[in-house]
Amino acid sequence: MKFIKSAGMLFLSLTCAFAQTTVYVATTGSDTDGDGLAGNPYLTISNGVAKAAAGDIVLVNPGVYTQAVNIYITNDITVRGMNAPTGVVITTMYPDVNYSTRCVRVSSAGAVFDGFTLKNGYPQNLAVHQYGCGGGILVEAGLATNCIIKNNHARFGGGAALWNSNSIMRNCWISNNACDYAAPSLGGGGVMFGDIYGNYGGASLLDSVVSSNACPLNGGGIYTKSTNGVISNCTIAANYASNSGGSVGGGIYVLGPGMLITDSIISNNISEFGGGGIGIYREGYPIIRDSLIIGNKAKTAGAGIYSYLTSRSGGAMISNCVVKGNQAAAAGTTVIGAGLCDGYTLAETSSGTLAVVNAKIIENGGDRCRFGGGAFIYTHGTASFHNCVISSNSLAYNWSSGGGLLVCTGSASVVVQNCLIADNRITATNGSGGGLFYTGETGVKSGPNPFDARVESCTIAGNSVSNNYGGMNISNNMVVFNCVVASNSASLNYPDMPGDPSYIAPVFYSCSPALTNSGNGNITNAPGFADFAAGDFRLTGGSPCANAGTNQSWMAEAVDLDGRPRINRFFRRTDMGCYEHVPRGTMFNLR
């Protein structure tokens, strides 16, 4: 405080400084005699947190801190562990007889919890409702960062639970946690978004690893029941959904709508039923984009991704993803749709909307996959594949169908558009449809358009089968436009597609040796691939398929598999197949 004299008048100037305070905690401190200063720290983290005011920092010295009750952060403070993340370990009294203590709870939007190892949290006997979650940490609001969360247990969210749009976990390692099988246990061995009632939503898990967690129900790694959450730049690996009665989602289980899973790796997870990598259930509508789903396993359906959308309001968007090397979980099991499975049986068909865009579904299946090595679609709703590569998938189980893709529809609409289906194979006895196999469901009304399935501007080549239909079959309620179906092989009949006039009637402006119905704009010439042996299925300059297709309404703004306009500005007519040929040369503009 000082006095200022100006122009014969006296002013009183008050200068107030609000200094940020650092509160110290150490294993050598005292909650009785300590004052929180560096030379006289508190003994327990919970006491340091209680003494800190908004804006303060609680600085915790290295050591192991055993909590009898959870640390509860309720205001906008920063709690920071020294020598992060292994220098400060927070553990509980587990295994005590109460099983009622988690490590940390954060419930203030401006709070930061930074740089700790959390272990042995076990809030099993907290209230049976939502608070029996997050064994290591429950973030109702605030940021948890730079933490290791391991060896915790809970009814759901064994390692962590995230609730609201201002609940953020970043740069954390969540491993070896478990969701215990005790009602009302749901899942989420590693992380739970929301609570068991589907309350809350919008939480974020960023730049983190979720690995080696387990749950006896759904979501070995992550369970999402809240809405509009985000999983970004994460690795979800080696998690396990272990209930042989029907676990879904070894890596991630999505139940709540609006989840965004982006820029992530989902690998080597296992589910005892479906969705080894990701399971999407009921009315969930996630967007999965720019991610790698690789090396996951399931015992029944969808080793990579499994979706069962029971309502037409449910659905999923899979965009710019690579689904690779997913397969059956163990000897004696048979998986359907090794890369992707939408629906499973007549009793469990999907009814929602599945869109797969710019995806690569490659190298899935194997000797224990029966239907749909790359993808299996059994839907009464809507499914579509746009600008996808479905390649090098395989089936080796007896009576297999659809080495690349199998589609079974009821009152449905399935579109396969602008896709490359190549080098898929069925090696087992009595296989059908090396590239694509379609069947309409018997006794069910045909879908809209009036076709249930439309295959448009696709290249189906280099596929092989042990029995019939090396490239694709043709069935009722199916129509084909602008496709190249050539250079496939079959041990018995129809190396490319059936040639009977009654079967090929719904094929238009396409290229295949079987297409003798030239009145539909079809040709039987060799397509003229750029380098078939090297797997280059683009067209050469002399290809008879160039500028030989028919323009369709969807092509106005569409691009081919290389990103070129489907209708080029020179010839104004589309090519057959999934690639547009661009002539080489010099263009002169004369005026």
Side-chain angles (χ1 to χ4, degrees):
M1 181 173 63
K2 59 182 178 180
F3 293 96
I4 300 174
K5 185 176 182 181
S6 176
M9 301 183 68
L10 189 66
F11 294 90
L12 178 64
S13 174
L14 296 176
T15 302
C16 298
F18 295 95
Q20 183 185 67
T21 299
T22 299
V23 178
Y24 291 89
V25 177
T27 57
T28 57
S30 172
D31 285 345
T32 302
D33 301 322
D35 56 15
L37 296 178
N40 193 22
Y42 295 120
L43 175 63
T44 60
I45 300 171
S46 54
N47 194 42
V49 166
K51 297 295 175 61
D56 287 353
I57 296 175
V58 178
L59 189 61
V60 183
N61 283 274
V64 177
Y65 295 79
T66 302
Q67 299 291 135
V69 295
N70 71 216
I71 298 164
Y72 192 10
I73 302 170
T74 59
N75 58 355
D76 292 351
I77 61 175
T78 295
V79 183
R80 180 168 292 131
M82 297 176 67
N83 299 344
T86 59
V88 180
V89 177
I90 299 175
T91 184
T92 72
M93 304 295 289
Y94 173 79
D96 64 356
V97 295
N98 294 318
Y99 303 121
S100 60
T101 305
R102 77 168 54 84
C103 295
V104 180
R105 180 178 172 189
V106 185
S107 62
S108 185
V112 177
F113 183 76
D114 178 8
F116 294 86
T117 292
L118 309 179
K119 68 178 187 177
N120 295 331
Y122 206 124
Q124 179 76 358
N125 286 344
L126 291 180
V128 171
H129 59 300
Q130 63 260 42
Y131 290 106
C133 66
I137 185 168
L138 166 60
V139 184
E140 296 174 82
L143 169 66
T145 184
N146 301 319
C147 292
I148 296 173
I149 302 167
K150 66 179 184 179
N151 301 329
N152 300 282
H153 298 255
R155 292 179 184 272
F156 43 97
L162 307 174
W163 277 8
N164 295 299
S165 59
N166 50 17
S167 302
I168 302 169
M169 182 172 285
R170 176 184 282 123
N171 194 31
C172 291
W173 191 292
I174 304 110
S175 67
N176 294 289
N177 303 283
C179 173
D180 290 334
Y181 194 90
S185 176
L186 287 179
V191 181
M192 173 83 172
F193 281 70
D195 71 350
I196 63 173
Y197 303 115
N199 297 323
Y200 315 110
S204 298
L205 178 66
L206 312 172
D207 311 320
S208 296
V209 175
V210 181
S211 69
S212 303
N213 303 284
C215 179
L217 288 174
N218 302 313
I222 300 173
Y223 185 112
T224 74
K225 195 171 183 179
S226 65
T227 59
N228 303 315
V230 176
I231 299 169
S232 177
N233 196 35
C234 292
T235 297
I236 318 298
N239 301 286
Y240 182 34
S242 61
N243 188 343
S244 59
S247 287
V248 174
I252 305 173
Y253 178 88
V254 180
L255 184 61
M259 286 295 301
L260 171 62
I261 302 168
T262 182
D263 298 286
S264 294
I265 298 173
I266 297 96
S267 69
N268 298 295
N269 303 283
I270 299 175
S271 171
E272 286 290 319
F273 175 75
I278 302 173
I280 305 162
Y281 215 59
R282 299 187 184 277
E283 297 184 8
Y285 202 127
I287 296 173
I288 305 166
R289 72 184 188 200
D290 303 310
S291 294
L292 175 62
I293 298 97
I294 183 170
N296 302 284
K297 297 181 179 181
K299 287 192 174 179
T300 303
I305 302 172
Y306 172 69
S307 58
Y308 171 39
L309 308 168
T310 59
S311 167
R312 291 187 182 272
S313 64
M317 166 75 79
I318 301 168
S319 175
N320 293 299
C321 290
V322 175
V323 182
K324 179 179 179 180
N326 303 285
Q327 58 185 279
T333 63
T334 306
V335 71
I336 291 174
L340 165 66
C341 182
D342 183 39
Y344 170 58
T345 64
L346 182 60
E348 201 165 285
T349 55
S350 274
S351 300
T353 300
L354 173 69
V356 185
V357 182
N358 298 325
K360 292 184 178 180
I361 303 174
I362 58 177
E363 300 176 17
N364 303 284
D367 60 355
R368 296 190 303 277
C369 183
R370 184 168 185 181
F371 299 124
F376 175 91
I377 306 298
Y378 197 169
T379 183
H380 286 183
T382 301
S384 59
F385 292 80
H386 298 273
N387 290 57
C388 294
V389 174
I390 303 173
S391 176
S392 302
N393 303 285
S394 64
L395 301 173
Y397 195 87
N398 197 18
W399 296 102
S400 298
S401 299
L405 172 64
L406 188 147
V407 175
C408 182
T409 64
S411 296
S413 173
V414 177
V415 176
V416 184
Q417 195 175 81
N418 226 83
C419 294
L420 174 64
I421 303 175
D423 296 325
N424 303 286
R425 61 192 181 279
I426 302 176
T427 59
T429 306
N430 299 314
S432 295
L436 184 153
F437 188 88
Y438 169 77
T439 178
E441 191 175 286
T442 303
V444 180
K445 290 183 179 180
S446 62
N449 297 324
F451 299 98
D452 290 336
R454 301 177 69 88
V455 182
E456 302 173 335
S457 298
C458 292
T459 297
I460 302 174
N463 304 285
S464 64
V465 69
S466 58
N467 198 345
N468 300 320
Y469 315 118
M472 65 183 295
N473 72 321
I474 305 291
S475 188
N476 294 331
N477 305 319
M478 179 182 185
V479 66
V480 179
F481 278 96
N482 297 328
C483 288
V484 175
V485 187
S487 302
N488 303 282
S489 63
S491 297
L492 289 181
N493 302 309
Y494 316 122
D496 295 300
M497 66 168 69
D500 186 288
S502 63
Y503 281 98
I504 61 177
V507 183
F508 302 88
Y509 294 92
S510 295
C511 170
S512 180
L515 293 176
T516 55
N517 55 341
S518 57
N520 286 3
N522 298 313
I523 60 175
T524 57
N525 309 62
F529 292 131
D531 192 342
F532 174 80
D536 186 348
F537 301 101
R538 295 169 181 82
L539 303 176
T540 58
S543 171
C545 300
N547 307 309
T550 182
N551 297 351
Q552 296 175 281
S553 58
W554 61 267
M555 295 177 172
E557 302 297 328
V559 295
D560 75 351
L561 210 55
D562 281 336
R564 300 186 181 103
R566 276 276 31 167
I567 302 175
N568 71 64
R569 60 194 179 102
F570 299 109
F571 299 101
R572 307 303 302 167
R573 185 173 177 182
T574 189
D575 294 348
M576 297 175 180
C578 60
Y579 296 106
E580 289 290 326
H581 175 70
V582 177
R584 296 180 180 273
T586 303
M587 181 178 68
F588 296 93
N589 187 7
L590 301 177
R591 295 185 179 181

